[in-house]
């Protein structure tokens, strides 16, 4: 199938997550059923300043495809310049992504992320500018307080040339609290068929199918990917045993250690730990021990211990 100018194998994608969708994470989900992944948020200002840490976020591998590079900036000139640097550094990206959804003050206070929802003229110019570089443009945004304003903003982005608009059903003021509003996504996908993807509270196959039944062209899994790391495979009809899942995650831990170092690998495994331990006898104690782990080997041993306990 085709979504937003990109050929994908199924409508389930990995959403961008700041500090999380690093190379080993994207590789894991790409090889476990995600049809598309995103980099974490990358600062265009950092790219323009030749910041090495920012450049590190552009690293990719042959295991992940297609891949969208998600950029953030507070005006169209910085965004386009940053995108041009990106194209010089790496030619493996299938599309540009613009973040207009991040609600965190460190991003919004300088006019980036969800702050752009209050600057439609700038948002329009951003999409227009990126389209001139030749790759599809995907925008991630949040719903506005009023549904009619959300529809107007979505229409503006599409008129500017956006190939896909992913709408998260929470407002900026909600951040990650409360429940994502699905009604606005249903309205938007009905009004702009073929252009709208969904995000927000995607935790089960039922959630995915509900969004697709609304007419969404794709569904983005964010935090739900860590509560069920095999949701992509399950959507595609592949189901693993408990021990198979554990072995896959332990292989991921070792691979993440090789690429990103032990500290980052440990942080990621703590996010995955709950999915493995949630049905085990004494799972609360095991989760607590996992969260307190100070080394990768320590958390691996805790996960293995959970695998041999009986309900």
């Amino acid at each position: 199938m085709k979504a937003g100018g990109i050929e994908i194998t199924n409508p389930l994608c990995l959403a961008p997550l700041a500090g999380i969708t690093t190379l080993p994470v994207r590789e894991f989900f790409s090889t476990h059923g995600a049809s598309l992944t995103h980099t974490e948020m990358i600062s265009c200002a950092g790219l323009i300043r030749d910041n090495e840490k920012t450049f590190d976020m552009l690293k990719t591998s042959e295991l992940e495809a297609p891949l969208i590079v998600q950029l953030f900036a507070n005006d169209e000139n910085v965004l386009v310049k940053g995108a041009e640097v990106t194209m010089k550094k790496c030619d493996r990206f299938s599309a540009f992504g613009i973040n207009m959804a991040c609600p965190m003050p460190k991003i919004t206070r300088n006019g980036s992320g969800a702050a752009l929802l209050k600057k439609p003229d700038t948002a329009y110019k951003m999409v227009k500018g990126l389209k001139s570089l030749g790759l599809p443009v995907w925008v991630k945004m949040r719903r506005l307080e009023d549904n009619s304003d959300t529809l107007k903003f979505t229409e503006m982005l599409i008129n500017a040339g956006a190939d896909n608009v992913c709408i998260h059903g929470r407002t900026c003021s909600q951040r990650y609290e409360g429940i994502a509003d699905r009604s606005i996504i249903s309205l938007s996908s009905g009004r702009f068929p073929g252009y709208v993807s969904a995000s927000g509270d995607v935790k089960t196959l039922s959630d995915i199918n509900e969004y697709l039944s609304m007419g969404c062209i794709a569904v983005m899994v964010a935090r739900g990917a860590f509560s069920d790391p095999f949701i992509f495979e399950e959507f595609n009809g592949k189901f693993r045993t408990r021990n198979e899942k554990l072995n896959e995650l332990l292989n991921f831990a070792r691979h993440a250690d090789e690429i990103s170092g032990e500290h980052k690998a440990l942080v990621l495994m703590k996010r995955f730990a709950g999915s493995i331990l949630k049905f085990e006898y004494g799972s609360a104690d095991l989760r607590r021990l996992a969260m307190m782990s100070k080394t990768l080997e320590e958390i691996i041993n805790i996960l293995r211990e959970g695998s041999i306990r009986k309900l």
Side-chain angles (χ1 to χ4, degrees):
M1 58 177 292
K2 198 166 189 175
I6 302 175
E7 294 286 345
I8 58 177
T9 56
N10 67 75
L12 199 57
C13 312
L14 179 67
L17 290 162
I20 299 298
T21 47
T22 56
L23 175 57
V25 172
R26 298 194 308 265
E27 287 181 328
F28 176 84
F29 286 112
S30 290
T31 55
H32 287 78
S35 65
L36 178 150
T37 62
H38 293 75
T39 67
E40 50 189 321
M41 282 196 311
I42 297 177
S43 166
C44 285
L47 292 170
I48 295 170
R49 292 195 304 266
D50 294 334
N51 185 286
E52 286 300 321
K53 288 185 178 180
T54 308
F55 286 155
D56 283 344
M57 298 166 73
L58 295 176
K59 291 179 179 177
T60 66
S61 84
E62 295 181 356
L63 293 178
E64 47 175 351
L67 171 63
I68 295 178
V69 56
Q70 191 194 198
L71 305 171
F72 76 94
N74 58 8
D75 73 61
E76 65 275 14
N77 293 322
V78 173
L79 180 72
V80 172
K81 288 179 182 177
E84 289 172 339
V85 173
T86 297
M87 295 180 79
K88 291 177 182 177
K89 288 286 183 179
C90 180
D91 63 358
R92 295 182 58 85
F93 298 114
S94 299
F96 292 119
I98 310 175
N99 183 286
M100 300 186 187
C102 182
M104 304 311 291
K106 67 178 182 179
I107 299 296
T108 59
R109 69 168 59 102
N110 75 345
S112 301
L116 291 167
L117 299 175
K118 297 180 179 180
K119 301 192 293 182
D121 290 343
T122 299
Y124 180 91
K125 292 174 183 177
M126 284 181 158
V127 175
K128 201 81 171 173
L130 281 195
K131 281 293 288 186
S132 68
L133 300 182
L135 288 180
V137 175
W138 288 47
V139 180
K140 191 167 190 293
M141 61 173 281
R142 285 176 170 252
R143 75 173 181 90
L144 286 80
E145 296 288 349
D146 186 271
N147 281 352
S148 63
D149 290 336
T150 305
L151 292 171
K152 288 177 184 177
F153 198 91
T154 303
E155 183 175 26
M156 176 274 295
L157 294 173
I158 294 170
N159 288 340
D163 297 272
N164 185 274
V165 179
C166 179
I167 302 175
H168 182 95
R170 291 180 178 85
T171 63
C172 180
S173 61
Q174 283 182 283
R175 295 193 185 180
Y176 302 102
E177 302 298 324
I179 299 173
D181 179 8
R182 300 188 179 188
S183 65
I184 184 56
I185 295 174
S186 180
L187 286 170
S188 300
S189 59
R191 182 76 63 88
F192 312 109
Y195 283 96
V196 175
S197 294
S199 174
D201 297 339
V202 183
K203 300 176 182 178
T204 67
L205 297 182
S206 177
D207 295 326
I208 298 165
N209 289 324
E210 182 177 350
Y211 277 129
L212 292 175
S213 71
M214 294 175 181
C216 295
I217 190 69
V219 178
M220 303 286 180
V221 187
R223 289 175 292 175
F226 287 87
S227 59
D228 183 1
F230 299 92
I231 191 171
F232 298 96
E233 287 190 339
E234 290 161 2
F235 176 76
N236 293 310
K238 182 176 182 178
F239 297 88
R240 294 180 182 268
T241 66
R242 165 67 176 71
N243 283 338
E244 285 175 337
K245 291 179 179 181
L246 174 64
N247 288 333
E248 290 295 304
L249 289 178
L250 295 185
N251 289 335
F252 164 79
R254 298 183 186 94
H255 185 56
D257 184 18
E258 292 174 359
I259 295 178
S260 303
E262 182 178 13
H263 174 70
K264 288 186 178 180
L266 177 60
V267 170
L268 292 169
M269 285 306 294
K270 286 182 179 181
R271 286 183 170 268
F272 280 129
S275 68
I276 288 295
L277 298 173
K278 60 185 174 183
F279 296 124
E280 303 303 331
Y281 176 77
S283 60
D285 288 338
L286 286 171
R287 285 199 301 272
R288 178 179 57 80
L289 290 172
M291 293 305 107
M292 294 172 61
S293 299
K294 291 182 171 55
T295 67
L296 195 60
E297 194 62 33
E298 187 178 349
I299 196 169
I300 286 174
N301 288 335
I302 291 168
L303 295 176
R304 283 177 173 155
E305 179 185 349
S307 73
I308 61 176
R309 290 193 180 188
K310 295 186 180 295
L311 291 173

